[in-house]
Amino acid sequence: MRSIYPQLFSVLFVFTCLQLHYTEGCTCAPSHPQDAYCNSEIVIRAKVVGKKLVKDGPFGTMRYTVKQMKMYKGFEKIHHVQYIYTVASESLCGVKFDINKYQYLITGRVFEGKFYTGLCNFIEKWERLTLAQKKGFNHRYQLGCGCRVSGPAGCEPSPGRKEAKQEAEAKQEAQAAVPTQRNEAAPKAGRARRRGRGRGLKRGGPKENVMLRYTELL
């Protein structure tokens, strides 16, 4: 029994080293889908229908053939995506897609006219996205690229946009205060008109008496 422990220790040590090598090879911070959308040049929904190793070696390149379902961002970069390129090795952040099984939401960048993606990009099966995320990729995320996501509840404006927003709010408050001042001034103006009319009647009294006396003399 004593001879088993050194062997088990060796196996666990090797396994731990392999795990550390893998995590050190590709370490990516998780990102919010909206940040992924805004920071990517290409965002598409596609089904992977084939693959081919176009460059062998430790830094080889895998080319996936895709059937594009919809493009959400990147029309000015590539009109229609037919191939997606990634590093062949997963330990170097390469992506491994299932063939002819799922539709994927894929984000990435363009290099020399080719669409490249990796594990650090936002890639998810379309069926696993929530309804809110699907609506976000369809329309909402592009409207919020001027803000930074602070959590799942939403995003806060970036420093430049925040100042502009504060200025706009101040202008709206100032414009809203003008009608209030006018409304407050309206009763005063009405009272002033009524006073003016009253004074006119008082001034008109003596004139009427003079006319009566003149008619009596005639």
Side-chain angles (χ1 to χ4, degrees), residues 40-110:
S40 300
E41 293 180 330
I42 302 290
V43 180
I44 65 169
R45 175 163 54 94
K47 185 176 182 179
V48 181
V49 296
K51 67 177 181 179
K52 181 180 181 181
L53 185 64
V54 294
K55 183 181 178 183
D56 203 355
F59 300 97
T61 302
M62 184 69 72
R63 185 185 72 185
Y64 287 95
T65 305
V66 299
K67 180 181 179 182
Q68 179 179 305
M69 302 298 179
K70 187 172 183 179
M71 177 174 282
Y72 303 98
K73 185 180 180 181
F75 303 96
E76 70 284 356
K77 299 285 184 180
I78 300 177
H79 295 292
H80 185 83
V81 177
Q82 185 178 2
Y83 301 108
I84 295 178
Y85 296 83
T86 186
V87 181
S89 175
E90 291 185 63
S91 62
L92 297 177
C93 298
V95 184
K96 184 178 180 181
F97 292 102
D98 292 319
I99 309 299
N100 290 318
K101 286 187 177 181
Y102 309 103
Q103 290 186 24
Y104 291 92
L105 191 288
I106 308 170
T107 66
R109 294 189 174 276
V110 177

Side-chain angles (χ1 to χ4, degrees), residues 14 18 21 33 40 63 69 128 135 143 181 191 216:
V14 171
L18 289 174
H21 175 73
S40 300
R63 185 185 72 185
M69 302 298 179
R128 288 187 178 180
K135 289 182 178 179
L143 302 177
Q181 294 176 357
R191 287 195 295 270
E216 290 176 356

Side-chain angles (χ1 to χ4, degrees), residues 136-155:
F137 281 107
N138 276 314
H139 180 66
R140 294 176 182 174
Y141 288 161
Q142 64 178 331
L143 302 177
C145 285
C147 58
R148 56 190 180 191
V149 178
S150 57
C155 60

